Amino acid sequence: SSASSSQGKPDADSKQPGYETLVVTSENGITKIMLNRPTKKNAITTQMYQEIMLALEAAAKDDSAITVLTGNGDYYCSGNDLNNFTDIPPGGVEEKAKNSAILLRDFVGCFIDFPKPLIAVVNGPAVGISVTLLGLFDIVYASDRATFHTPFSHLGQSPEGCSSYMFPKIMGSAKAAEMLIFGKKLTAREACAQGLVTEVFPDSTFQKEVWTRLKAYSKLPPNAMRISKQLIRNVEKEKLHAINSEESSVLQGRWLSDECTNAIMNFLSRKAKL
Amino acid sequence: SSASSSQGKPDADSKQPGYETLVVTSENGITKIMLNRPTKKNAITTQMYQEIMLALEAAAKDDSAITVLTGNGDYYCSGNDLNNFTDIPPGGVEEKAKNSAILLRDFVGCFIDFPKPLIAVVNGPAVGISVTLLGLFDIVYASDRATFHTPFSHLGQSPEGCSSYMFPKIMGSAKAAEMLIFGKKLTAREACAQGLVTEVFPDSTFQKEVWTRLKAYSKLPPNAMRISKQLIRNVEKEKLHAINSEESSVLQGRWLSDECTNAIMNFLSRKAKL
Amino acid sequence: SSASSSQGKPDADSKQPGYETLVVTSENGITKIMLNRPTKKNAITTQMYQEIMLALEAAAKDDSAITVLTGNGDYYCSGNDLNNFTDIPPGGVEEKAKNSAILLRDFVGCFIDFPKPLIAVVNGPAVGISVTLLGLFDIVYASDRATFHTPFSHLGQSPEGCSSYMFPKIMGSAKAAEMLIFGKKLTAREACAQGLVTEVFPDSTFQKEVWTRLKAYSKLPPNAMRISKQLIRNVEKEKLHAINSEESSVLQGRWLSDECTNAIMNFLSRKAKL
């Protein structure tokens, strides 16, 4: 895909071992975390949630100046893998919902607390939690092929990733609600006009333009950047954690509702027929 | 008007009795509250404030999924009917100002607390409180004939409807202040670019396009939509009530000021000469 | 320059004595504070910080309806004069950093507390603190020659002027961080699209159009405007002061860092070679 080709192959040295669902590299002051389930549109499995958290914790401590999240292949990320819902523990669906809410809260918490500039390189369509989390990034660069879709109501669910707070703050309530409540899908240009995306690039030159800029940014004084990012974040860090807890708790209830169960059943049975 | 024709006549059954200044209908999961003083540009009388509150309370409890506010005729709403100021009770102007501030606070409070998705279908020009309240709606669709005008300073008054908080949040302080302090009138396109309006439609197809979309939205899982709306609102509900109280209290003082009295006198005497 | 010519010469009477770095005039309900070091691109010296505070305190109490800040010459303001850093007191660099942080906090505090509508007439490029402060103005009119640049990281520094809070609120986190952390320079059109600027005018008619509008605004009921401005500001005045203190304290640490010292040394030695 263009994602890997235009950056060239990472050095064997720079690729970090131990990840099955990600490719994590670190060079030139930039740690790059690439979602690597391209045949599944980078849908996030339980394992991938855990690995992203580990990769963020490592990136927070390494000597890179900035950290990048991107996707391998045509998609940036298709959101939560709905097959996660089919793996029911002995404690039943209630335990499943409880565990999922804890995982979600911890996962989003890593993005709230991340101490360095965090950049999303949105190489293609983004769905669900991969969209809502963008409100917690410092920069969001998007290919003009990218779209932004949060069909929570369609799935009987509700917003997460602090989007119930950040999206109205970023784009105003009248734009945010059409996305979060009614599942309106945005183009990259629309998402940029509404402030969710920093800048949109033609797909043909996306990787080249973005990485040229990121390499320049990564050479700025790293302490100044880290301190500036934390100054901006600290204003609302406590509030973001409270919102994250509330969103996760509401979703725990949603996952046990008929609306959600029926919607996910329908989705999975439609997929099975394809 | 295009507002009524393009939707067709509501069923005799669906029209709710008991309203003199509104037409309230409920069908297909949508409760529609239509301001119905078209010859007065839907200016809001004391009676109409009361009826809108009753209609919202009923809509909150009925089995509709979404609630719509719109206007009959050429205007969406020309704001507070300034003739309200001429009906002075035995207690004099101070009692009048006190009662008006309580009515305003209770009226705006109904919008803050409304538990379901609330959609404004802005069919034409909007003035004063009908503009400021838009910050409390989840979606605002506007005809390209609509304009948005809050001439508070011109009338010696000050912003209400939580706009002193919501407008800077939605559009930034530099755009909000030109509207709220200096009375700059916005076109529908400008209001959309600044986030107050979700989307603008050509007037010729406005009703058809908007109601097609709303009918689709009304079929989404209703509990998910209600819970998502409340999740977004609850983040700042307490703050909104505090701001509503403060705005109402400041306006109570304004209504007794020379600046306001003179401005309203001039307005009413100019109208009397027409 | 076009700044002075198109407004005509101020009356000898209207020009206020006692300022060396400013020209302060008051007529027709408008007090105008003009930065007046055009040969230094209106860089702000320690004296100029003090004089601006004095001019704002006087404007707060005079009988004008609105107050305007603008620049004389080609620049609006090139930000903090970096020569301020070379004037080290007997107590050494630590005392210098402490005194500078107190001066900064008091200076920004005057903008937070200013009680009347405050308008920036951005006649040309704006840099650093002259950009960040714009979030505290009620209206920002810009010439299409204006640019907006906050190269804090490049200088090893961090955001001030309450921009760490106001910029994400105005333009969303993804646009704000590229300015504040990575030093992206905006054109006037970009700053307007992102809500930092109210409106952009062609440079050839900038002064004429802006002052025509400001003269009209200055004739609106002054108490209503002042009360409306305070209603909007009071919602977050306490928060803004807390953020101002935190930003000033973080900068105090930055000024003593190697990153900052080296960056300023390089800047001044490059200038000396020109």
Side-chain angles (χ1 to χ4, degrees), chain B residues 56-79:
Chain B
L56 287 172
E57 278 160 31
K61 291 177 203 147
D62 72 18
D63 61 358
S64 64
I66 63 177
T67 300
V68 172
L69 188 69
T70 191
N72 189 15
D74 291 335
Y75 265 67
Y76 173 65
C77 175
S78 56

Side-chain angles (χ1 to χ4, degrees), chain A residues 58-73:
Chain A
K61 290 177 204 145
D62 71 19
D63 61 358
S64 64
I66 63 177
T67 301
V68 172
L69 188 70
T70 190
N72 188 15

Side-chain angles (χ1 to χ4, degrees), chain A residues 153-154 156-159 164-165 168-169 172-175 177-178 180-182 184 239 243 246-247 250 254 259, chain B residues 117 135 138-139 141 166 170 192 195-199 213 217 220-225 227-229 231-232 235:
Chain A
S153 291
H154 296 75
Q157 300 188 32
S158 52
S164 67
Y165 169 72
K169 189 182 168 197
S173 39
K175 310 280 194 193
E178 198 172 32
L180 297 177
I181 303 180
F182 298 105
K184 174 90 181 292
K239 184 164 205 170
I243 284 157
E246 177 65 15
E247 287 177 344
V250 168
R254 287 277 81 207
E259 283 182 356
Chain B
D138 299 295
I139 286 190
Y141 292 137
M166 288 303 289
I170 292 169
C192 188
L196 186 61
V197 163
T198 309
E199 191 170 335
R213 198 179 298 180
Y217 286 166
L220 291 170
N223 294 329
M225 291 198 287
I227 284 168
S228 293
K229 188 243 163 90
L231 188 61
I232 295 171
V235 177

Side-chain angles (χ1 to χ4, degrees), chain A residues 155-225:
Chain A
L155 294 169
Q157 300 188 32
S158 52
E160 19 67 341
C162 294
S163 61
S164 67
Y165 169 72
M166 287 304 288
F167 277 36
K169 189 182 168 197
I170 292 169
M171 60 182 78
S173 39
K175 310 280 194 193
E178 198 172 32
M179 283 192 80
L180 297 177
I181 303 180
F182 298 105
K184 174 90 181 292
K185 188 196 285 190
L186 299 194
T187 65
R189 299 266 167 229
E190 288 169 338
C192 188
Q194 288 161 31
L196 186 61
V197 164
T198 309
E199 191 168 336
V200 179
F201 300 82
D203 193 59
S204 57
T205 56
F206 177 59
Q207 298 287 345
K208 189 162 185 195
E209 290 194 63
V210 161
W211 288 100
T212 300
R213 199 178 299 180
L214 291 178
K215 278 169 193 164
Y217 286 166
S218 71
K219 292 183 175 58
L220 291 171
N223 294 329
M225 290 198 288

Side-chain angles (χ1 to χ4, degrees), chain A residues 60-95:
Chain A
K61 290 177 204 145
D62 71 19
D63 61 358
S64 64
I66 63 177
T67 301
V68 172
L69 188 70
T70 190
N72 188 15
D74 291 334
Y75 265 66
Y76 172 67
C77 174
S78 57
N80 187 40
D81 191 325
L82 293 182
N83 288 301
N84 292 342
F85 288 108
T86 62
D87 174 29
I88 307 298
V93 290
E94 300 211 351
E95 190 183 319

Side-chain angles (χ1 to χ4, degrees), chain C residues 2-3 6-7 30-35 42 66-77 118-126 130 134 137 139-143 146 148 197 199 201 203 205-214:
Chain C
S2 63
S6 59
Q7 261 200 285
I30 305 177
T31 292
K32 182 176 78 158
I33 301 169
M34 185 164 67
L35 309 180
N42 298 319
I66 62 178
T67 300
V68 172
L69 188 70
T70 190
N72 188 15
D74 290 336
Y75 264 66
Y76 173 66
C77 175
L118 185 63
I119 289 118
V121 171
V122 185
N123 53 296
S130 75
L134 294 175
F137 282 70
I139 286 191
V140 179
Y141 292 137
S143 158
F148 301 85
V197 164
E199 192 169 335
F201 301 83
D203 193 60
T205 56
F206 176 59
Q207 297 288 344
K208 190 163 183 194
E209 289 193 65
V210 161
W211 288 100
T212 299
R213 200 180 297 180
L214 291 178

